[in-house]
Amino acid sequence: MKLLIVAMLICSGQVLAHGDHSAPGAIPPSPNGGVLSEAKHEHKGSHHHDHKEAVEREIFFEAKLKNKLLTVYPLELDHKTGNVFKALKVGDFSKVKMNVKDPRKKSAVKFELEAKNDQWQLKLGKSRVRRVIVEVSGIFKEAKYKANIQVERK
């Protein structure tokens, strides 16, 4: 019995050994403490740009819900290192559309939208939602991006 265990340990040396913990394709933590969602590049309705450049860009949206204020940040993953996000300016986006839904009631949540330098602030007013789904779409560098983010109140 002991010989069998020793033989298994010797043969499984490659399985037990491992290298560093940096996984390729892993994304860094969210810079503002919110929930991240990668924006998908949509080809429909955005044909006036270089598709290769648009596909190589990794655009993310981060959402954070606190005290009836939903904040959405546009971000881009640094393509050189891949381990840090760069904040994008909301003024660089055009035709921005946002929808906020309450998943429990399956209804839209009313909000007031205010654009700041590097974020959109959505004031939810009298709504008492604990969790929302935010649908964000917009055009950045002539390419259309869209993301859905589910975020819970902190």
Side-chain angles (χ1 to χ4, degrees), residues 9-137:
L9 287 174
I10 291 171
C11 293
S12 64
Q14 289 290 340
V15 176
L16 297 175
H18 66 280
D20 63 4
H21 292 281
S22 61
I27 60 171
S30 59
N32 303 295
V35 178
L36 287 168
S37 179
E38 184 172 6
K40 305 295 182 215
H41 171 239
E42 291 189 339
H43 294 281
K44 184 179 179 183
S46 60
H47 289 287
H48 306 291
H49 66 280
D50 180 11
H51 280 280
K52 184 177 183 205
E53 179 187 335
V55 171
E56 288 175 357
R57 288 188 181 279
E58 292 188 72
I59 304 297
F60 285 78
F61 291 108
E62 177 186 4
K64 183 169 63 171
L65 178 60
K66 188 173 182 181
N67 297 334
K68 297 184 182 183
L69 181 66
L70 177 63
T71 310
V72 179
Y73 304 89
L75 305 168
E76 182 175 10
L77 191 62
D78 184 12
H79 66 278
K80 292 178 184 173
T81 64
N83 61 4
V84 67
F85 284 107
K86 297 186 298 185
L88 299 174
K89 298 200 181 311
V90 297
D92 293 341
F93 284 81
S94 63
K95 297 184 180 178
V96 176
K97 293 182 184 174
M98 292 199 198
N99 292 318
V100 181
K101 294 182 180 177
D102 181 349
R104 281 184 49 211
K105 295 180 182 176
K106 295 181 171 60
S107 62
V109 177
K110 293 181 182 178
F111 60 89
E112 293 178 27
L113 178 65
E114 184 179 346
K116 298 280 185 172
N117 187 34
D118 63 345
Q119 61 187 262
W120 292 284
Q121 292 184 345
L122 292 79
K123 297 175 184 171
L124 302 183
K126 297 179 181 180
S127 179
R128 298 183 62 207
V129 294
R130 297 187 60 78
R131 181 180 60 193
V132 294
I133 297 174
V134 187
E135 297 172 352
V136 184
S137 66

